[in-house]
Amino acid sequence: MDQPEKSSSRLLASSGRRAFLGASAGLGAAAVAGLAARAAPLAVPESNRTMGDPIPETDYGMPIEYEDHVRRRRTDVFVNRQNYSDWSMTPLHQQLGIATPNGLFFERHHNGVARIDPDVHRVAIHGMVRQPLLFSMDDLMRYPSVSRFHFLECSGNGLTDWREARSTTVQQSHGLLSCAQWTGIPLSWLLDEAGLQDGASWVVLEGADGSGHLRSIPIDKIMDDALLAYGQNGEMLRAEQGYPVRAILPGWEGNTNVKWLRRIYVTNEPLHVRGETARYTDPMPDGKWRQFSMEMEAKSVITNPSGGMRLPGPGPVELSGFAWSGNGTISHVDVTVDGGRSWVEAQLEGPVMEKCLTRFRFRWNWDGTPAKIASRAVDSTGYVQPTAEQLARVREISGFVQHNNAIFPWTIASNGEVGNAIA
């Protein structure tokens, strides 16, 4: 997809809600059937005539049965035939707002979901510290806490669609992405209490799951904004999200946010474990492999409309989606409806927060002819989300390639069907 300069079509972005709705008035009854229905008498439904459900003594609320189709799903694009090291993806096209419900938050496990008794769980800090520390959950819960919104994205998000359109829906192509309000303790507070020795420059985080998943993290990141989190969207972590405690490294690839955290080992060098050599590394054009590329660069995707949807007919459409960056905030998002020949600035919906999902919207009147739509994010560092062609110039696209943050287009056919247009 080409990336010319923004055209005068930017003016379209300034059209207000009144103009957008007014445009629908000339579309005919078929296109505005929902508006025409307002003229009919409003029937009194059965729910007005009967008692509602009784209030239970105790309960854990669940979505109503009419929303039962909104589910986290394992992918059928890159099929994994065992049940312990795999993904389960967030339905981004059905997520309202920026916070992902805990039951829909994507999963990535290396050896299944650990179920840990918080009364026996312990977190150790040792290595190059003046005072090794061992915490129970009761100890940790006595510390002052903070709550912050941050996105979490697997480094493999989008890996099936580098060169060809393999995913049908945005859940399959981008569903290894979610966002939550995390509550916990800044890791810098705990390391300050342990006291770092001279030369301490890396921290190894280790989980208590069956894989003993661990990653080496530069200590600067730990001291900057890392959290030891036990809360997610107002409740304790779910088991699949690392209950009772996990690491949150804002803006860094998901696997560094070690779940079921049990050990924080301070050292002066990375361990170069399997997750840092055979996995989670990037092939480069010169034949070498890049290690420790853990920041998730600016990215965006249109979620409405997206693959698998069908527009009901020509007329007003609100293009909307998510943008995010692991290197700061989203400064703006451009949208194209003509395959990249021109770009229009979309409206960002607040709050726009650092290393957090940002919702963007753009009001468009589709004329019923085939179209190719896409979004392009720019972050507070000035970084511009690249095309797939631009990304391929600096990365070797072969095998199990990660960190795909390329612009992702959708086609809209004349019958309204929306499809993957990455090829």
Side-chain angles (χ1 to χ4, degrees), residues 3-177:
Q3 286 198 83
E5 295 300 314
K6 296 171 188 173
S7 74
S8 58
S9 58
R10 175 190 290 268
L11 295 174
L12 290 172
S14 64
S15 60
R17 181 178 61 184
R18 181 174 300 174
F20 179 69
L21 295 177
S24 67
L27 297 175
V32 292
L35 296 178
R38 294 177 184 171
L42 179 63
V44 178
E46 184 62 21
S47 58
N48 273 145
R49 306 171 187 273
T50 58
M51 300 292 287
D53 292 342
I55 302 171
E57 291 295 328
T58 62
D59 195 12
Y60 196 98
M62 300 296 291
I64 195 168
E65 61 269 26
Y66 304 114
E67 298 300 319
D68 193 51
H69 60 287
V70 181
R71 294 283 179 138
R72 190 167 50 198
R73 300 181 189 281
R74 290 172 65 177
T75 181
D76 54 3
V77 177
F78 187 82
V79 178
N80 193 341
R81 300 190 183 283
Q82 51 79 36
N83 296 318
Y84 298 98
S85 179
D86 199 11
W87 309 303
S88 187
M89 311 174 88
T90 294
L92 294 175
H93 56 301
Q94 292 160 325
Q95 177 177 319
L96 309 177
I98 59 172
T100 307
N102 290 342
L104 299 176
F105 209 93
F106 86 88
E107 298 175 70
R108 170 67 172 107
H109 309 302
H110 296 87
N111 195 9
V113 178
R115 304 190 75 86
I116 295 175
D117 181 347
D119 290 338
V120 300
H121 189 66
R122 297 290 183 273
V123 178
I125 297 178
H126 65 125
M128 295 180 66
V129 294
R130 287 191 285 274
Q131 176 63 51
L133 300 172
L134 184 66
F135 300 96
S136 67
M137 285 305 299
D138 286 341
D139 295 333
L140 293 173
M141 299 297 283
R142 296 184 66 178
Y143 274 78
S145 61
V146 299
S147 294
R148 301 200 300 250
F149 284 92
H150 292 298
F151 77 85
L152 194 61
E153 183 181 21
C154 176
S155 59
N157 199 24
L159 66 83
T160 57
D161 294 84
W162 277 96
R163 292 187 183 280
E164 58 180 321
R166 300 188 64 184
S167 299
T168 301
T169 69
V170 72
Q171 184 172 12
Q172 294 171 327
S173 65
H174 289 75
L176 296 175
L177 167 74

Side-chain angles (χ1 to χ4, degrees), residues 172-192:
Q172 294 171 327
S173 65
H174 289 75
L176 296 175
L177 167 74
S178 300
C179 185
Q181 185 189 43
W182 306 100
T183 298
I185 309 161
L187 274 170
S188 60
W189 294 1
L190 301 179
L191 289 180
D192 281 343

Side-chain angles (χ1 to χ4, degrees), residues 352-372:
V352 177
M353 295 181 283
E354 185 171 279
K355 302 168 187 175
C356 183
L357 289 191
T358 297
R359 171 74 76 175
F360 65 86
R361 303 182 188 277
F362 177 73
R363 294 162 186 162
W364 176 49
N365 278 298
W366 180 48
D367 63 8
T369 62
K372 183 184 285 187

